[in-house]
Amino acid sequence: MSIAGSARTAGLAITLSWGWKRALVALVSGALSSLAMEPFNVWPLLFVTFPVATWLIDGSAAGRLGGVPAAALAGWLFGFGYFVPGLYWIGNAFLVDAQTFAWLMPFAVIGLPAYLALFTSLGFALARLIWTKDASRILALAAALTVGEWLRGHALTGFPWNAFGYALTEPLALAQTASLIGLWGLTFLSVAIFASPAVLIDGWSRGRRPWLAPVSAGLLLLAMSVYGSVRLSQHPTEFTDNVRLRIMQPNLTQDARFNYSAKQAVMQRYLALSDRATGPQSTGVNGATVLIWPESAFPFFLTREADAMAEIADLLPKGTILITGSVRAPDLPPDARITRAYNSIYVIGDDGGILSIYDKLHLVPFGEFLPFQGLMEKLGFVQLTKVQGGFISGTGRRTIELPNAPSMLPLICYEAIFPGNIESRGGRPGWIVNLTNDGWFGISTGPHQHLQQARLRAIEQGLPLVRAANTGISVVTDPVGRIVAQLDLGVEGILDSRLPAAVTATPYARAGDIPAAIMVIIAFVLVIRRRRD
């Protein structure tokens, strides 16, 4: 049997399925789709699962109200199947303090995917509203799902983790298209390309050429590969003069990071590791001009511990700065009780003086704050970090000037998963610094996915990315996403590297999401016109 014949048989069976069989198909196809993400990157599997999504919407026509409710249910099941295996690692965070939070683990592992699947459901429902009977329905699905994914990335502070566009970020040549159209443009292309084989069931009647859509998708994928290969060849890794980085990855357990009694042990570990020689030619921290420690590195308020600040000053050679995460107390009188705090990045000079501070702007729901904080606390709930009242959000994102190094754009933890977070006051930076603590998620797929998303920000902007993570994965990438240096997940160590130089601002850095929006609008117009013909 030919490929078209096999597709036609499978497509008709899925289109005509109903009840529990239809539900199972949606769940399984969504779950298999999660394998397209890091660390598996089996994205060719989407050439099977996205046609299934298309056929499920085809089959919704038999339902009430034009099939919109049936399509929405299929979309929710597909999304739920996708997010549960893709986000299972979130459950690890509830086991750090199991006595307090373990009972919430099932709600997180099931509840968050159930919520996120609503946006996939919306995409399926919107697609059904403008559905056609020919190949243009692929554009309907691509545009509608892109709208749903964009809303997922923005509603209620947003959570665009594992957006479908990330399927086209490996191999690295494919990811270069993000420099033109960003994540949301990649999402549109991903759905359109991977869903295209669905039209092979359409047959040859009324002048249809069912092979045209998948062939066009294949040519588009080839064009992306060629563009990416050319871009990579045109931008070999170049380095900034006289900037030498040293990233410290302590691999501390979470209980140590939030235990004040471990204060001295933590500091001594940081100091010793930061000055560790990494080879016969290494001079320890003396060989670095920029030392970088991860997010919220200390189980105390750093600037309120004079001995810790003095130890840092003693560690830093002349001309070396420290970039470190730390919880920061608000400006209060010395004897005032501290009830809330900022999650911050400090830039510290070699004399122990504070050169600059950035306060995290995009806080993590349920991790750093609770929705309806006051009410939830009265009911006995606390967020994972147990800061009463929740963390305080910063007032703005800005580029930070550094002595003897290019200016940097600071991003803390999951701020790096939001394309819009790269915009800042103070002009174009020379590099992105992402401090994070993925220790919450253990040895799982989560840290790999987190790196994948932060790495795409570098490609979108044409900026090098320097990432310091408590348990890994710490990396230095160049502005086209090549990994220059890396410390793997779950190891203690030091990463020495030169700082890659930025390239000219990319089209995406200049235009943002406008090209992606134009693509979606054109698709909607074409599909609606096709419905009227």
Side-chain angles (χ1 to χ4, degrees), residues 8 14 47-48 56-57 152 187 189 215 230 279 295 328 352 388 404 480 492 506-507:
R8 190 173 297 112
I14 292 168
F47 280 118
V48 175
L56 288 169
I57 299 175
R152 175 164 73 90
T187 296
L189 292 184
V215 168
V230 171
E295 177 193 10
R328 184 175 80 85
Q388 184 179 1
N404 305 316
V480 294
E492 172 191 292
T506 64

Side-chain angles (χ1 to χ4, degrees), residues 3 98 107 112 126 152 158 215 222 245 261 280 287 296 315 328 393-394 439 451 473 488 515:
I3 294 176
F107 296 96
L112 180 60
L126 178 57
R152 175 164 73 90
V215 168
L222 177 62
L245 308 173
S261 64
S296 55
L315 169 72
R328 184 175 80 85
S393 176
L451 171 59
I473 306 164
D488 291 332

Side-chain angles (χ1 to χ4, degrees), residues 175-235:
Q176 301 307 307
T177 303
S179 67
L180 301 174
I181 56 177
L183 172 62
W184 306 119
L186 279 184
T187 296
F188 177 86
L189 292 184
S190 292
V191 178
I193 289 170
F194 294 126
S196 62
V199 304
L200 291 174
I201 73 169
D202 291 355
W204 294 78
S205 62
R206 291 180 293 177
R208 288 176 174 170
R209 300 180 180 88
W211 52 268
L212 190 58
V215 168
S216 299
L219 291 174
L220 179 56
L221 204 57
L222 177 62
M224 292 173 64
S225 300
V226 171
Y227 168 76
S229 298
V230 171
R231 186 168 190 262
L232 289 170
S233 67
Q234 289 179 340
H235 294 292

Side-chain angles (χ1 to χ4, degrees), residues 46-327:
L46 297 183
F47 280 118
V48 175
T49 60
F50 273 50
V52 168
T54 307
W55 296 329
L56 288 169
I57 299 175
D58 283 340
S60 300
R64 296 174 299 151
L65 300 176
V68 172
L73 178 59
W76 186 89
L77 291 166
F78 185 96
F80 186 70
Y82 177 72
F83 291 117
V84 169
L87 297 173
Y88 79 92
W89 45 266
I90 287 178
N92 290 332
F94 294 83
L95 299 179
V96 171
D97 182 359
Q99 185 175 354
T100 304
F101 295 110
W103 68 276
L104 288 170
M105 180 178 171
F107 296 96
V109 173
I110 301 299
L112 180 60
Y115 162 70
L116 297 177
L118 293 174
F119 296 96
T120 316
S121 174
L122 174 64
F124 275 50
L126 178 57
R128 183 65 227 179
L129 277 172
I130 59 172
W131 207 240
T132 62
K133 294 181 180 181
D134 59 20
S136 63
R137 68 190 191 277
I138 302 303
L139 292 179
L141 180 61
L145 272 181
T146 301
V147 169
E149 289 287 85
W150 184 89
L151 287 172
R152 175 164 73 90
H154 291 80
L156 300 178
T157 79
F159 191 65
W161 198 280
N162 283 358
F164 294 132
Y166 288 111
L168 290 178
T169 60
E170 190 65 37
L172 187 58
L174 287 178
Q176 301 307 307
T177 303
S179 67
L180 301 174
I181 56 177
L183 172 62
W184 306 119
L186 279 184
T187 296
F188 177 86
L189 292 184
S190 292
V191 178
I193 289 170
F194 294 126
S196 62
V199 304
L200 291 174
I201 73 169
D202 291 355
W204 294 78
S205 62
R206 291 180 293 177
R208 288 176 174 170
R209 300 180 180 88
W211 52 268
L212 190 58
V215 168
S216 299
L219 291 174
L220 179 56
L221 204 57
L222 177 62
M224 292 173 64
S225 300
V226 171
Y227 168 76
S229 298
V230 171
R231 186 168 190 262
L232 289 170
S233 67
Q234 289 179 340
H235 294 292
T237 306
E238 297 180 352
F239 295 95
T240 303
D241 293 335
N242 303 318
V243 180
R244 300 179 302 279
L245 308 173
R246 169 161 276 222
I247 300 170
M248 187 272 296
Q249 181 170 297
N251 197 36
L252 279 180
T253 60
Q254 286 301 93
D255 56 350
R257 292 174 69 85
F258 292 95
N259 182 1
Y260 183 80
S261 64
K263 166 192 167 184
Q264 195 57 35
V266 169
M267 275 303 299
Q268 291 309 310
R269 184 169 182 170
Y270 284 6
L271 297 170
L273 187 55
S274 296
D275 200 27
R276 177 185 292 178
T278 55
Q281 305 301 317
S282 175
T283 58
V285 74
N286 288 302
T289 59
V290 182
L291 175 64
I292 305 176
W293 292 352
E295 177 193 10
S296 55
F298 315 97
F300 52 84
F301 294 111
L302 176 61
T303 57
R304 292 190 170 225
E305 302 285 343
D307 55 341
M309 294 297 292
E311 289 175 314
I312 289 172
D314 289 341
L315 169 72
L316 297 177
K318 186 69 174 176
T320 300
I321 62 171
L322 170 66
I323 300 173
T324 182
S326 177
V327 176

